[in-house]
Amino acid sequence: LIELPNEIWQKIPKELTNTDINYEISTFGRFKDLTGKIKEIFTINSGGYYETKINNKHFTIHSFVAKVFIKNIENAKKMHWLPNELWV
């Protein structure tokens, strides 16, 4: 595990993954599996986004980052953003 300066790790809420297994996501979009190992190989979906598969369901990495680290102060059901602005 290589630590990156200023990287913050948070658990992904289990209701987002529909599983009882703990996963973590970082502010840099790195993903840890249940063993604590950082996953380095992802698939790229048809929209060009990195994704991982959990229990045969596909999840985009950027959506985990957004849902875990961006506060939904307006209690919106969906969050919309321009792809590159999330990482600024």
Side-chain angles (χ1 to χ4, degrees):
L1 171 66
I2 298 172
E3 295 294 328
L4 299 176
N6 302 315
E7 184 173 31
I8 299 168
W9 288 94
Q10 290 286 334
K11 287 188 180 182
I12 299 171
K14 292 178 182 177
E15 60 269 12
L16 295 181
T17 60
N18 299 317
T19 182
D20 288 332
I21 301 171
N22 289 319
Y23 295 95
E24 293 184 6
I25 193 77
S26 84
T27 49
F28 295 154
R30 298 201 301 167
F31 180 85
K32 283 185 190 176
D33 64 17
L34 65 154
T35 66
K37 181 178 178 187
I38 295 174
K39 185 173 180 180
E40 297 180 19
I41 300 173
F42 297 98
T43 56
I44 298 176
N45 68 18
S46 60
Y49 294 105
Y50 288 103
E51 65 181 18
T52 190
K53 191 163 37 166
I54 301 171
N55 288 343
N56 293 318
K57 186 171 180 186
H58 297 265
F59 296 92
T60 55
I61 299 301
H62 73 280
S63 65
F64 282 146
V65 172
K67 290 173 182 174
V68 171
F69 291 103
I70 298 175
K71 302 295 181 218
N72 185 358
I73 59 172
E74 295 180 6
N75 208 19
K77 291 183 180 181
K78 287 188 175 183
M79 289 192 289
H80 299 279
W81 64 87
L82 297 174
N84 293 329
E85 287 185 3
L86 180 62
W87 313 112
V88 174

